[in-house]
Amino acid sequence: NMWNHPITVDNLKRLRDIAGYHVVAPGVGYLACRWVGAGRLAEPADIVGAAACLRTPQDLAGKRVVVSSGPTHEALDPARYLANRSSGKMGIAMAHAAHRRGAAVTLVLGPTGQPVPAGITVVAVESALQMAQAVEQAAASADVVVMAAAVADFRAATIAPQKLKRSSLGATPTLALRANPDILAGLGAARQKAKAQRPLLVGFAAETENVLAYARDKLVRKQIDVIVANDVSQADAGFAVDTNRVIVIDADHAVHVPFGTKAEVAHRVWDALLPRLNHAPVGKKANGAGAKPAKNARRKGKR
Ligand code: CTP
């Protein structure tokens, strides 16, 4: 009742209109006065997030961003699945950074226990087939799709309806697999067929050797614009850890993003993607190892 009272409404309007204040609205729910409605103290993380947005250049305002993240689980039976070591942290960091910079963000998220910041639309999926459907749907109206998910390349040829019993499998069981669709290559092919420029298609390449060469190969094979490559053989980069270092690569440019937290690296990757989103290459001419960070990498240290 206090929040909706005309005097409160009027005072808040004056604060916004005259003094330029920004307002974090209260949470909705059960209140101390035993009413249900708007009036709960906003979650501290939401208050911090709103303040951080105010201090962040809104250079992705108006952009519709789709990010996929996390592993996929490919069921074998009701109790077991095939999976990989992706934690989803890098994709969530990409989604979070885009949200901070003003984008409308949809995150297609495989099974992971990681928290997702408020303000991001989450589509929860389990399998690669579910992820393909969700990403394709969201991509239809996106300016950019960032495939950070570690999509399983194969699924079980058949999913057992009941839990498989050890005794029925024999001493050396074999598992028949069939290929999952390549979601990113599918988006690349569809865009090519439509002779369209959008969405900008960005892949992630987790490699353990020949990082640049394998990443460039994926760029061509999947008909996409940019690959963010990282070497997951290093203990402080890639899977499950909170830090990373990556190379943002397009057809003939490369931007080396130095070691940092995944949040810092995500902002630097968006810095490198921004010119591309506005129809320019990702950075300076690549010469393999020595390419310089993007010009607007001056944000370093501010986040
Ligand atoms: N990807 C996808 N669908 C798949 C497999 C991968 O969309 N079925 C996307 C990933 O999200 C990532 C990029 O393709 O953005 C590269 O993924 P990666 O696993 O490195 O490449 P693969 O094509 O699977 O090649 P390989 O495993 O042989 O390295």
Side-chain angles (χ1 to χ4, degrees):
N1 285 332
M2 273 169 66
W3 176 250
N4 290 326
H5 194 284
I7 294 175
T8 315
V9 171
D10 193 45
N11 283 339
L12 280 167
K13 187 173 180 320
R14 286 172 62 198
L15 282 171
R16 284 193 187 99
D17 293 352
I18 301 167
Y21 279 80
H22 293 259
V23 177
V24 181
V28 178
Y30 193 70
L31 307 176
C33 56
R34 301 186 179 198
W35 285 68
V36 175
R40 294 173 66 84
L41 178 67
E43 291 298 325
D46 293 349
I47 299 171
V48 172
C53 279
L54 290 179
R55 293 183 53 80
T56 306
Q58 298 295 285
D59 48 13
L60 289 174
K63 298 276 191 267
R64 286 158 305 178
V65 169
V66 175
V67 179
S68 74
S69 189
T72 62
H73 285 182
E74 309 299 324
L76 301 178
D77 69 15
R80 305 180 180 95
Y81 54 80
L82 295 173
N84 58 61
R85 298 164 73 91
S86 168
S87 65
K89 286 179 178 178
M90 192 61 222
I92 293 172
M94 286 296 295
H96 192 189
H99 170 64
R100 281 265 163 100
R101 293 163 80 143
V105 183
T106 299
L107 176 65
V108 179
L109 187 60
T112 163
Q114 297 301 319
V116 178
I120 294 169
T121 303
V122 178
V123 182
V125 297
E126 290 252 331
S127 66
L129 289 178
Q130 288 170 358
M131 183 171 278
Q133 195 183 20
V135 168
E136 276 157 26
Q137 196 174 335
S141 57
D143 294 297
V144 49
V145 178
V146 178
M147 283 292 298
V151 187
D153 288 321
F154 295 92
R155 64 182 184 275
T158 54
I159 301 173
Q162 306 297 336
K163 189 179 167 203
L164 293 164
K165 301 307 279 181
R166 181 189 177 122
S167 55
S168 70
L169 294 174
T172 54
T174 54
L175 186 60
L177 300 176
R178 61 181 292 198
N180 274 328
D182 186 323
I183 302 170
L184 195 50
L187 294 176
R191 191 184 61 171
Q192 184 80 9
K193 196 171 163 200
K195 295 191 169 53
Q197 302 280 321
R198 286 289 178 265
L200 189 76
L201 296 175
V202 181
F204 267 67
E207 305 293 353
T208 55
E209 57 178 355
N210 303 331
V211 176
L212 260 178
Y214 282 148
R216 279 245 157 78
D217 173 60
K218 280 172 193 171
L219 196 67
V220 176
R221 203 158 29 89
K222 297 180 192 239
Q223 303 182 84
I224 60 172
D225 305 291
V226 181
I227 275 274
V228 182
N230 66 340
D231 183 346
V232 291
S233 67
Q234 301 173 51
D236 59 0
F239 291 138
V241 295
D242 292 322
T243 49
N244 212 350
R245 68 170 72 72
V246 301
I247 314 171
V248 185
I249 301 163
D250 73 5
D252 44 15
H253 301 80
V255 175
H256 286 249
V257 175
F259 182 79
T261 65
K262 284 186 172 171
E264 287 164 349
V265 169
H267 276 289
R268 300 290 301 280
V269 171
W270 282 116
D271 288 345
L273 292 177
L274 253 187
R276 259 288 189 173
L277 266 167
N278 301 319
H279 299 100
V282 295
K284 295 192 171 153
K285 193 83 182 164
N287 60 358
K292 295 230 170 58
K295 191 168 157 237
N296 51 0
R298 65 187 153 69
R299 285 196 182 82
K300 184 185 179 189
K302 287 199 179 162
R303 294 191 175 97

